[in-house]
C-alpha cells in the first residue's frame, strides 16, 4: 500500500491519500486512515497514474529500430525508470522490407506486454516536412504497401502517421481506420482543404502538433489550425520546451482541453544517456546539452525527453494544473489507445501502474503492474 501522499484521483487531489494494491491491481483509493497492512509512506509526495507515451523512438542509448531484443528492452526500461508504464514503440521511415523486419522484432515486445503497440511515423509523409526522416525512404501510400506493413504487425501496429495531401493519402487514412489502426496526421505540408477529407475519413490524431508541418498563418490556417480546431482530433505536444515555447503549449492545451491533449516524448536513443553522436533511423544526430539535432543541417531530431519531465514542464513551465498534466500524460493517451478500462487512472480494479513524484515532481518510486521498478529516483521512503 502507498500512503501519506497527495493522490491524483480521477476527479480531484486527495490529501493524506492512499492507494491499496493487491495482485498487481489497485484494490482501493481513499484519504485519511488507510486499511491495515504493509505500506510505503511517501511523506506528502504526489501519487499519479503511470505515464502512457504514444510516441517514443528509443532511450538509454538504444533505438526501437534495432533487431536485438536486448537493445529494445534497454530502450523500454530507460523510460520505465522515469514513470512510463505503457508506451508505443515508434519507427522512423525506412524501406518497407526493413520496416517489416523492425515491426517483427517489436511484435515480440507487444506479445510480452513490454510495449502496448507499434507506431509507424513514416514512410507516408511529406518530403517538404520530413524533418529527421531520410527523404530517400519516403513513399506515397498505396493500399498494397499499407496492407503489407499491417500484416507484418499481426495486430501490433496501433498508429500510423500520414501526410494526407500525398496521392492516396486520404484512402490510406480510411484503410487504417477501417483496420482498427489509429490514423495520425503529421509531417504534412498540406493546407486545410487537404486535411479535412482525411479527418472525415477517420484520422483522429495530430502527430506532434506544430512540429513537422506547415506553420499556422492568419490567412491560411494549414494543418495547425485545422487540427487544433477540430473536435475529432487529439493533439500530441512535445513538452520539452525546446520544440514548443511554454506559451504555445499552454495555448494549444487550453484550446484543445483535457479531452484532446496528449503529451509525448518523441524521444530518441540519446534519452537517459550521455550527449554525443547518435543515429535516428538512417540519419546522424548530434546531442548537445540534451538537445538532439541532425548533424548535417541542425534541424531538431526527436528529443531526449522523458514523460516525468513533460509532466513537470506542463505544470512548472506552461503553468497548467496537476490534473491537467495527469490527463495529458495518463488518462487521455490510455483512452486513445483503447486501454482506459485498465490503466491511466488510479481506480479500484485497474492495473497497479503508479508513479510517486517528489516535491520537485521527479520520480521517487514507480510501480508497474504491481511490481516496483528498479533504479528509480533517489528519494528514500519509509515502509
Amino acid at each position: 500500500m502507498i500512503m501519506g501522499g497527495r493522490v491524483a484521483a480521477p476527479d480531484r487531489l486527495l490529501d493524506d491519500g492512499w492507494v491499496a494494491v493487491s495482485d498487481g491491481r489497485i484494490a482501493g483509493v481513499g484519504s485519511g486512515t488507510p486499511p491495515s497492512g504493509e505500506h510505503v509512506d511517501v511523506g506528502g509526495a504526489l501519487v499519479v497514474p503511470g505515464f502512457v507515451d504514444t510516441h517514443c523512438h528509443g532511450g538509454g542509448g538504444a533505438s526501437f529500430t534495432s533487431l536485438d531484443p536486448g537493445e529494445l528492452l534497454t530502450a523500454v526500461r530507460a523510460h520505465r525508470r522515469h514513470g512510463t508504464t505503457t508506451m508505443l514503440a515508434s519507427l522512423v521511415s525506412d524501406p518497407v522490407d526493413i520496416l517489416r523486419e523492425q515491426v517483427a522484432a517489436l511484435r515480440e515486445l507487444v506479445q510480452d506486454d513490454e510495449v502496448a503497440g507499434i507506431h509507424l511515423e513514416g514512410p507516408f509523409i511529406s518530403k517538404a516536412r520530413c524533418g529527421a526522416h531520410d527523404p530517400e525512404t519516403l513513399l506515397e501510400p498505396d493500399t498494397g504497401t499499407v496492407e503489407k506493413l499491417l500484416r507484418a504487425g499481426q495486430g501490433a501496429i496501433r498508429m500510423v502517421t500520414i501526410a494526407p495531401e500525398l496521392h492516396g493519402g486520404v484512402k490510406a487514412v480510411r484503410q487504417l481506420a477501417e483496420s482498427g489502426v489509429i490514423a495520425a496526421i503529421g509531417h504534412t505540408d498540406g493546407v486545410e482543404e487537404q486535411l479535412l477529407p482525411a479527418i472525415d475519413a477517420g484520422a483522429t490524431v495530430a502527430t506532434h502538433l506544430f512540429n513537422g508541418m506547415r506553420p499556422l498563418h492568419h490567412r491560411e490556417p494549414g494543418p495547425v489550425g485545422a487540427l487544433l480546431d477540430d473536435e475529432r482530433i487529439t493533439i500530441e505536444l512535445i513538452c520539452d520546451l525546446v520544440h514548443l515555447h511554454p506559451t504555445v503549449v499552454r495555448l494549444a492545451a487550453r484550446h484543445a482541453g483535457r479531452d484532446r491533449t496528449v503529451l509525448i516524448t518523441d524521444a530518441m536513443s540519446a534519452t537517459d544517456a550521455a550527449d554525443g553522436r547518435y543515429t535516428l533511423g538512417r540519419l546522424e544526430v548530434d546531442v548537445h546539452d540534451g538537445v538532439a539535432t541532425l548533424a548535417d543541417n541542425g534541424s531538431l531530431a526527436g528529443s531526449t525527453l522523458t514523460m516525468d519531465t513533460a509532466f513537470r514542464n506542463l505544470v512548472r513551465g506552461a503553468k497548467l494544473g496537476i490534473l491537467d498534466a495527469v490527463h495529458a500524460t495518463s488518462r487521455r493517451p490510455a483512452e486513445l489507445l483503447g486501454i482506459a478500462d485498465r490503466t491511466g487512472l488510479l481506480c479500484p480494479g485497474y492495473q497497479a501502474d503508479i508513479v510517486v513524484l517528489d516535491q520537485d515532481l521527479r520520480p521517487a518510486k514507480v510501480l508497474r503492474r504491481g511490481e516496483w521498478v528498479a533504479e528509480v529516483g533517489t528519494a528514500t521512503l519509509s515502509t
Side-chain angles (χ1 to χ4, degrees):
M1 181 188 312
I2 297 169
M3 61 174 288
R6 296 175 67 215
V7 173
D11 57 352
R12 65 192 188 281
L13 289 174
L14 302 176
D15 291 326
D16 193 23
W18 51 266
V19 182
V21 174
S22 178
D23 296 326
R25 295 196 170 267
I26 296 172
V29 178
S31 61
T33 303
S36 60
E38 295 184 4
H39 65 272
V40 174
D41 190 335
V42 299
L46 180 64
V47 182
V48 301
F51 303 132
V52 181
D53 189 0
T54 60
H55 189 149
C56 179
H57 295 278
S63 172
F64 287 132
T65 58
S66 175
L67 302 181
D68 182 337
E71 286 194 35
L72 299 177
L73 284 172
T74 293
V76 171
R77 289 166 181 165
H79 288 276
R80 199 166 289 168
R81 289 192 294 270
H82 289 270
T84 297
T85 54
T86 303
M87 68 192 309
L88 293 187
S90 299
L91 295 172
V92 293
S93 301
D94 250 322
V96 171
D97 287 344
I98 292 176
L99 282 173
R100 291 172 68 195
E101 292 178 351
Q102 294 167 351
V103 166
L106 288 168
R107 197 173 64 219
E108 303 296 321
L109 268 66
V110 177
Q111 292 168 353
D112 293 340
D113 190 33
E114 298 291 347
V115 299
I118 302 165
H119 165 219
L120 301 182
E121 199 179 359
F124 311 121
I125 60 176
S126 167
K127 287 188 178 182
R129 302 289 174 180
C130 63
H133 293 248
D134 182 355
E136 298 302 315
T137 65
L138 304 185
L139 299 172
E140 291 185 333
D142 66 84
T143 301
T145 303
V146 171
E147 182 60 29
K148 186 182 293 185
L149 288 168
L150 294 183
R151 280 202 307 268
Q154 297 180 18
I157 295 176
R158 302 296 302 279
M159 184 187 298
V160 179
T161 297
I162 298 272
E165 72 274 16
L166 297 178
H167 179 72
V170 173
K171 186 176 181 180
V173 166
R174 184 175 293 108
Q175 179 182 3
L176 292 168
E178 290 175 352
S179 299
V181 175
I182 299 167
I185 295 175
H187 287 282
T188 172
D189 199 41
V191 295
E192 184 178 56
E193 290 76 14
Q194 293 171 309
L195 270 66
L196 293 179
I199 298 173
D200 291 338
T204 56
V205 172
T207 294
H208 45 54
L209 189 75
F210 296 100
N211 300 116
M213 58 182 63
R214 179 189 290 265
L216 179 70
H217 189 277
H218 58 282
R219 286 192 296 272
E220 204 296 289
V224 174
L227 297 168
L228 182 57
D229 205 42
D230 197 303
E231 295 293 327
R232 295 169 291 180
I233 296 293
T234 293
I235 61 167
E236 294 181 346
L237 300 174
I238 307 174
C239 198
D240 59 354
L241 308 186
V242 174
H243 283 76
L244 300 173
H245 189 279
T247 299
V248 172
V249 172
R250 183 168 59 252
L251 287 171
R254 281 181 172 171
H255 183 85
R258 288 180 179 176
D259 291 339
R260 296 178 49 223
T261 302
V262 164
L263 300 190
I264 60 166
T265 63
D266 195 21
M268 46 86 69
S269 56
T271 305
D272 205 34
D275 284 357
R277 175 65 63 89
Y278 293 83
T279 58
L280 181 59
R282 295 168 166 255
L283 303 181
E284 291 191 331
V285 175
D286 287 328
V287 179
H288 181 68
D289 290 338
V291 178
T293 57
L294 289 180
D296 65 349
N297 64 18
S299 297
L300 288 172
S303 82
T304 60
L305 182 64
T306 53
M307 287 296 282
D308 62 304
T309 302
F311 186 105
R312 187 164 60 251
N313 286 344
L314 193 72
V315 174
R316 301 273 174 87
K319 308 299 183 185
L320 295 180
I322 292 291
L323 291 182
D324 294 318
V326 170
H327 271 74
T329 57
S330 300
R331 184 171 185 170
R332 181 56 195 149
E335 290 172 346
L336 186 65
L337 296 179
I339 55 175
D341 59 342
R342 57 185 183 272
T343 195
L345 290 173
L346 298 182
C347 283
Y350 276 57
Q351 293 169 342
D353 297 334
I354 302 170
V355 184
V356 179
L357 297 172
D358 66 17
Q359 299 302 317
D360 293 322
L361 300 181
R362 299 179 186 277
K365 292 278 189 181
V366 176
L367 198 67
R368 181 181 188 269
R369 315 297 196 258
E371 304 260 343
W372 292 111
V373 176
E375 302 176 358
V376 175
T378 58
T380 300
L381 304 175
S382 61
T383 58

